[in-house]
Amino acid sequence: MTQLSTPAATRAQRPAITDDAFDRLIRLTWRKGLLAIIAGLAVSFVLFGYTTVYWRNADMDFMVIYNALVMNDGKPQHFFDHTAYLTILTVKSWFAFLHGLGLLDAWALPAIPPASDTAAFDAAMTHAVRAGRVLAFLIATGCVVIFAGLIRLIVRDWRVAMLAVLAFALSGGIAVHSRILRSELVAACPVIFALMILMAAGRRASRWRPLAMALAAALCVLGLENKVQAILLIALLPLVILPFGSMRSASVAFWQNSRQSWLLAIAAGLLACAAGWAAWPLAVTGFDRQLLDAAGFHPLLLGRFGIYQLALIGFIVVAMVAYATLWRISVAETLAAICAVAAGAAITLLLLNLAYDTNNVIAVFNPLEKMLTFADPSTADAAHGSGLGAVVLLLQGLGSVLARYTFVLHSSARPTVFLTWLVIPGIVYAFHRGERRAAVQALVLMCAAIAIDTLGVRRGLKTEYFIFTDPLIILAGAVLLERMRDLRFHKWTYPIALVLIVLHIGVGQSEPIKYAFKRTGPQSACDWNVYYMPLLPLPWCPPMTRS
């Protein structure tokens, strides 16, 4: 009788399937759920993006589109502030592609009517801006799809992955960048994808893991080439990735210092040398003192350029060796991975030759100096002065970030702040339950997000910058939820999750809706149009501001 009653008693203790919050929240399959998310993004884009008046988001829509029009006219790039290099090249090619199909007449600067013909100018710019917004939506949607594919490699439960994709797709960063031509999305997402590739590759050893490292390095440089602020996220990756290993991280048999593994490591070293030799002229230009002085760059450390760049390279190598020691990676695989990272980074630098300009080169090789050219006086003085001033600014920035994370003390159009309300207690709870690895992983992700946001406060931590840190917060939540899946049976899980999803949608869409119904006119563009668009006068700006 005891043997017969034990299974029944066990079944009685198991929660019913309807008690699973995941089943109640996610009613669609993985593929249908992903399609539903993309469809929702498309509806939001059409209603509160595509049809919005063309000058509503002039900063930076106009700047990017102007440079695409200029370059399609055979002239060099004019805008180098971010540098927005890849964004401008992509829009340039997109306009040429649409023009080739007969879908866009306003594809080059001569095709834009003069400002004196206001109606024709408005029609041409409307077509150009809408074409650019379609490209922004396609890029943002592509980022969501790539994020979805990579998160499936990181978490086992597809429902946890679906919740992470939903949070990412409805985040403030995607809401902004899916309808505006800015440089942050193409800068942040490649680096985030590099992190996710490293997380997945680190957990499961394979013969091809050094190739994953090369791809991650290439993505990091890709992001840096589009916006120099990506250097902040790149610099933190070596620390963030350290806890993301497992018992299966140890090198496979092929890499256990065999003859074949050493031959492959040597081949990787030769490839890295060849790639470095090809990229060397770019490095020479990047540290040319005359070009740097002409651009107004000032050395950040010890009166010399290149110091922190070499320190960062050394830090990456040390972190890779530390990771190899911690998770039992063989010497041969470690050396092959280091060479693969060098090769991937050097090869991607060659993209600067697609539309070569020294302004892009010196910015990519000196990202912090470039950032400081736009810093306010107090930040610039702190960076070049004593350490005490920098510490004070950092503490002020940290306090501002923590206030923003509460939402109550400092509201913002950032729905992921509500996720932090669960992630931070979740880290404490995971430690208490003995899930120390998951807790540490989530903690380093959150610390990275807080650190980057702290520095971003000096530029106002605008909604456009959320794309750099929102994915880190979302990944932290996914890591915790993956390790504590039994929480889905708690009675409060479903209502809390439902409230979070509603808040996520409402707050995330507030900024696009606000811009769609904004009443202000386009006159603010007159403050900068002469500097950023010298060959494209605007009809509503006074003649004295035109070139």
Side-chain angles (χ1 to χ4, degrees):
M1 291 294 293
T2 303
Q3 292 179 346
L4 292 175
S5 61
T6 300
T10 302
R11 286 194 298 270
Q13 294 173 359
R14 292 175 182 169
I17 192 67
T18 54
D19 293 334
D20 191 333
F22 289 176
D23 287 335
R24 298 173 66 187
L25 287 170
I26 304 172
R27 301 300 183 93
L28 300 175
T29 63
W30 168 260
R31 182 173 299 179
K32 290 181 179 179
L34 189 57
L35 290 174
I37 290 173
I38 295 174
L41 292 177
V43 171
S44 175
F45 167 73
V46 171
L47 293 177
F48 309 115
Y50 181 78
T51 57
T52 302
V53 62
Y54 76 92
W55 43 255
R56 174 57 65 205
N57 303 310
D59 178 15
M60 293 178 36
D61 276 355
F62 277 13
M63 299 175 189
V64 172
I65 289 174
Y66 168 77
N67 278 269
L69 297 173
V70 165
M71 294 180 76
N72 277 332
D73 190 31
K75 296 180 175 64
Q77 177 182 339
H78 284 187
F79 180 86
F80 303 99
D81 288 1
H82 293 169
T83 62
Y85 172 66
L86 297 175
T87 298
I88 292 171
L89 282 186
T90 304
V91 176
K92 169 186 175 293
S93 301
W94 175 248
F95 279 10
F97 172 72
L98 293 179
H99 179 71
L101 295 178
L103 298 176
L104 181 65
D105 293 330
W107 73 290
L109 193 60
I112 304 297
S116 56
D117 189 349
T118 304
F121 181 92
D122 287 347
M125 285 299 291
T126 296
H127 293 155
V129 170
R130 286 183 174 178
R133 288 175 180 171
V134 169
L135 178 62
F137 171 75
L138 292 176
I139 293 174
T141 303
C143 289
V144 171
V145 173
I146 295 172
F147 183 91
L150 291 175
I151 196 67
R152 287 295 304 272
L153 299 177
I154 296 172
V155 299
R156 291 171 294 176
D157 193 328
W158 70 269
R159 298 172 300 178
V160 174
M162 179 59 71
L163 291 174
V165 174
L166 183 67
F168 178 68
L170 299 178
S171 64
I174 293 295
V176 170
H177 291 288
S178 61
R179 65 203 82 217
I180 299 177
L181 287 169
R182 290 190 61 93
S183 57
E184 289 86 0
L185 182 68
V186 181
C189 282
V191 184
I192 293 297
F193 297 155
L195 170 62
M196 297 175 75
I197 289 171
L198 294 176
M199 291 168 63
R203 289 181 173 182
R204 291 179 284 273
S206 72
R207 180 180 296 189
W208 310 106
R209 186 159 52 183
L211 288 179
M213 305 287 288
L215 177 59
L219 288 171
C220 288
V221 175
L222 196 72
L224 183 63
E225 288 174 332
N226 206 57
K227 191 174 181 72
V228 293
Q229 279 85 340
I231 191 64
L232 305 176
L233 186 53
I234 294 170
L236 289 173
L237 284 193
L239 283 178
V240 172
I241 199 62
L242 282 178
F244 286 93
S246 69
M247 297 299 294
R248 296 189 296 169
S249 298
S251 296
V252 296
F254 175 84
W255 286 110
Q256 293 297 335
N257 299 319
S258 62
R259 180 181 178 182
Q260 293 86 349
S261 65
W262 280 109
L263 288 175
L264 199 55
I266 292 172
L270 294 174
L271 178 61
C273 291
W277 176 80
W280 181 250
L282 291 171
V284 173
T285 301
F287 294 110
D288 186 297
R289 191 61 187 252
Q290 290 184 340
L291 293 174
L292 293 168
D293 290 341
F297 285 20
H298 302 285
L300 191 62
L301 295 173
L302 304 178
R304 297 179 65 87
F305 291 98
I307 293 179
Y308 72 84
Q309 294 90 330
L310 289 175
L312 178 58
I313 293 173
F315 174 61
I316 293 172
V317 172
V318 170
M320 293 180 69
V321 172
Y323 186 95
T325 304
L326 185 63
W327 302 111
R328 305 188 314 275
I329 313 297
S330 69
V331 176
E333 184 179 359
T334 302
L335 290 176
I338 292 173
C339 294
V341 166
I347 292 172
T348 310
L349 281 172
L350 297 177
L351 291 176
L352 291 171
N353 290 323
L354 291 177
Y356 181 83
D357 194 293
T358 57
N359 290 282
N360 286 322
V361 177
I362 62 173
V364 170
F365 278 88
N366 303 273
L368 295 184
E369 287 85 352
K370 180 64 175 178
M371 291 168 62
L372 287 175
T373 61
F374 295 96
D376 57 82
S378 60
T379 302
D381 293 341
H384 296 290
S386 64
L388 182 60
V391 171
V392 171
L393 287 181
L394 287 175
L395 290 177
Q396 291 175 348
L398 177 61
S400 177
V401 169
L402 296 179
R404 294 165 191 263
Y405 280 14
T406 66
F407 190 80
V408 177
L409 298 177
H410 194 301
S411 62
S412 69
R414 188 178 192 179
T416 48
V417 298
F418 303 111
L419 189 57
T420 64
W421 295 1
L422 295 181
V423 172
I424 294 175
I427 293 172
V428 178
Y429 181 63
F431 267 114
H432 179 72
R433 282 187 42 167
E435 296 285 355
R436 299 187 183 279
R437 184 180 301 173
V440 171
Q441 291 171 347
L443 180 61
V444 296
L445 288 168
M446 283 300 304
C447 288
I450 293 172
I452 295 172
D453 281 343
T454 296
L455 296 174
V457 166
R458 303 311 307 172
R459 293 295 302 276
L461 197 59
K462 297 182 289 187
T463 55
E464 294 87 351
Y465 300 157
F466 295 165
I467 194 64
F468 284 102
T469 50
D470 277 351
L472 299 176
I473 299 171
I474 293 167
L475 288 173
V479 166
L480 289 174
L481 197 57
E482 168 72 8
R483 296 299 303 172
M484 298 185 291
R485 286 176 291 173
D486 57 306
L487 289 178
R488 68 187 191 272
F489 296 113
H490 195 281
K491 65 178 181 178
W492 289 107
T493 300
Y494 176 75
I496 291 176
L498 193 61
V499 170
L500 280 177
I501 291 174
V502 172
L503 286 173
H504 214 82
I505 296 173
V507 176
Q509 295 299 304
S510 62
E511 200 72 4
I513 294 174
K514 181 183 75 173
Y515 271 89
F517 291 97
K518 205 171 182 180
R519 297 281 184 182
T520 57
Q523 287 74 22
S524 61
C526 300
D527 297 334
W528 46 258
N529 72 305
V530 172
Y531 178 76
Y532 286 113
M533 302 188 302
L535 303 179
L536 186 66
L538 300 176
W540 56 81
C541 293
M544 67 181 64
T545 65
R546 300 176 187 174
S547 60

